[in-house]
Amino acid sequence: MKKIMICDDDMGILEVMQVVLDDAGYDVKIISSGKSIKDQISEWRPDMLFLDIWMPEIDGKQITKDLKEDPKFKLLPIITISALNDTEKISKEIGADDFLAKPFNIDDLLGKVEKYLRGTP
Amino acid sequence: MPDTISSNEFISHASHELKTPITTIKGYTEILLKLLKDQPKPFTYLTRMNEQVDRLTSLINEILDVSRIRSGRLTLTKELVDLDKLLKDVTIWAQEQTKHPLVYHGGQTFVVSGDRHRLAQIFSILLSNAIMFSPDSHPIEVTLGRKGKHVYAAVTDHGIGIEKVHYEKIFEPFFQTDEAKKHSQTGWGLGLYIAREIARRHEGDIEVASQKNKGSTFTLVLPLAKPL
């Protein structure tokens, strides 16, 4: 079963994304802080990561840059999720693989997963 | 929040905070729509809810756009854009949302220097208005052509029309004619203001020609890109 990690400081969004991706047959882990994200990725080994750009403790932009510069994580697909005005532009600037602008449709969410995990849960 | 925060910053921050719970509401609404797809009444009510959630998102985006325009912070990411392809794509997307027949007269490549998403937004606004103010069965025509060093894209409807005295006023924020208010369930008079401001930031403009009770033509005029 493919593994998807979601990191967002909003519990409502984490829960609704988990319901959708659980139902679609993926193994989902949600985390509400990016503080120890590298350790969590090393331990759980997800196949893709949804990451909020704007979080209070550690900025999702910095996390993305750090992960993409680290040889251990650079191949992990990172999809930024954000309600910021220029989500697409920011996502490109920081080197994320793709983005999902809040609010998004369930089909958009599943479409991103299929794109990076080739449709096989 | 510090006293010195600008209204633009406030709106930007507030819109971010509003979109977060909207994402959760939309997510659960769509989950329920899938679960209850075989139950006509709940499905219909949830569809209405989902439409209103989308409307709320559009309103927030319009407020953000007006705030950016007024503070001079509407940024354009310009590239060479084939207007024929863009217009065709937006027309196909709009046709999926409406029963009005949309007829596209184009097919010739015209390249402009512009922000692809913002230009698509202009056509989306013009088509949405044409659909909103036209009787169901009447076709809406989209025409692309060239006038000297400019390209024009005209959206023509056979709807309620606009009196000449209102030609300029309809581009002012929050202005709606009394006729428009009667026909529009969702508009609040920001679309044409945003569309014209985007057009003007592309060194272009939007022109209107109309006859009351016969229909209107809104024409986007843009300079053609200089050959490389």
Side-chain angles (χ1 to χ4, degrees), chain B residues 184-213:
Chain B
S184 160
Q185 299 285 312
T186 55
W188 63 332
L190 287 181
L192 285 175
Y193 168 70
I194 293 167
R196 176 175 260 184
E197 290 296 325
I198 296 171
R200 288 185 168 171
R201 276 158 179 76
H202 284 84
E203 288 89 45
D205 209 344
I206 296 176
E207 296 162 0
V208 58
S210 183
Q211 267 189 292
K212 197 153 165 46
N213 298 321

Side-chain angles (χ1 to χ4, degrees), chain B residues 103-145:
Chain B
V103 186
Y104 179 58
H105 306 284
Q108 205 180 334
T109 301
F110 293 112
V111 179
V112 298
S113 168
D115 183 314
R116 186 181 301 277
H117 298 296
R118 290 295 180 182
L119 291 174
Q121 185 182 0
I122 295 178
F123 293 128
S124 165
I125 290 168
L126 297 183
L127 278 169
S128 299
N129 282 354
I131 290 165
M132 200 185 311
F133 297 117
S134 295
D136 269 353
S137 57
H138 286 59
I140 289 157
E141 293 179 53
V142 183
T143 310
L144 184 67

Side-chain angles (χ1 to χ4, degrees), chain B residues 160-217:
Chain B
I160 58 174
I162 303 152
E163 286 177 285
K164 205 164 187 176
V165 66
H166 292 136
Y167 278 11
E168 275 307 307
K169 276 188 166 276
I170 53 170
F171 291 100
E172 291 173 9
F174 299 111
F175 179 82
Q176 285 181 291
T177 64
D178 290 340
E179 276 296 297
K181 280 182 201 158
K182 271 188 235 162
H183 281 78
S184 160
Q185 299 285 312
T186 55
W188 63 332
L190 287 181
L192 285 175
Y193 168 70
I194 293 167
R196 176 175 260 184
E197 290 296 325
I198 296 171
R200 288 185 168 171
R201 276 158 179 76
H202 284 84
E203 288 89 45
D205 209 344
I206 296 176
E207 296 162 0
V208 58
S210 183
Q211 267 189 292
K212 197 153 165 46
N213 298 321
K214 289 201 171 169
S216 307
T217 297

Side-chain angles (χ1 to χ4, degrees), chain B residues 13-156:
Chain B
H13 192 86
S15 75
H16 177 271
E17 293 306 314
L18 288 167
K19 282 181 184 177
T20 301
I22 288 175
T23 306
T24 307
I25 296 167
K26 184 167 180 61
Y28 284 117
T29 308
E30 290 193 358
I31 290 168
L32 285 171
L33 273 167
K34 284 186 197 287
L35 288 173
L36 299 172
K37 63 175 185 287
D38 298 327
Q39 297 185 43
K41 268 194 178 178
F43 186 83
T44 304
Y45 302 154
L46 285 164
T47 302
R48 297 281 173 273
M49 266 177 69
N50 206 24
E51 286 166 359
Q52 294 304 316
V53 171
D54 288 342
R55 185 177 163 201
L56 196 52
T57 308
S58 297
L59 296 176
I60 292 169
N61 286 335
E62 286 187 350
I63 291 169
L64 263 173
D65 280 344
V66 171
S67 166
R68 285 185 193 131
I69 289 165
R70 296 213 148 184
S71 62
R73 286 166 63 172
L74 183 80
T75 53
L76 300 178
T77 308
K78 286 195 178 178
E79 57 184 319
L80 292 179
V81 180
D82 175 0
L83 221 50
D84 178 56
K85 185 176 183 316
L86 185 83
L87 202 40
K88 212 180 287 171
D89 289 347
V90 178
T91 308
I92 290 168
W93 169 83
Q95 187 65 82
E96 286 166 7
Q97 331 285 321
T98 182
K99 287 176 184 159
H100 289 79
L102 304 183
V103 186
Y104 179 58
H105 306 284
Q108 205 180 334
T109 301
F110 293 112
V111 179
V112 298
S113 168
D115 183 314
R116 186 181 301 277
H117 298 296
R118 290 295 180 182
L119 291 174
Q121 185 182 0
I122 295 178
F123 293 128
S124 165
I125 290 168
L126 297 183
L127 278 169
S128 299
N129 282 354
I131 290 165
M132 200 185 311
F133 297 117
S134 295
D136 269 353
S137 57
H138 286 59
I140 289 157
E141 293 179 53
V142 183
T143 310
L144 184 67
R146 180 181 179 161
K147 267 186 202 165
K149 291 179 178 173
H150 289 79
V151 59
Y152 67 88
V155 177
T156 301

Side-chain angles (χ1 to χ4, degrees), chain A residues 49-97:
Chain A
L49 171 68
F50 284 99
L51 178 66
D52 186 12
I53 293 178
W54 194 7
M55 291 186 289
E57 287 168 320
I58 294 186
D59 194 349
K61 291 187 217 171
Q62 195 55 51
I63 295 172
T64 305
K65 284 180 187 165
D66 288 349
L67 289 171
K68 287 297 178 188
E69 281 170 10
D70 190 327
K72 275 191 293 180
F73 306 112
K74 71 174 182 186
L75 294 177
L76 174 69
I78 301 176
I79 318 301
T80 56
I81 42 174
S82 173
L84 291 173
N85 308 335
D86 300 315
T87 305
E88 183 177 5
K89 197 175 154 204
I90 295 168
S91 174
K92 279 182 188 160
E93 280 169 4
I94 60 178
D97 295 271

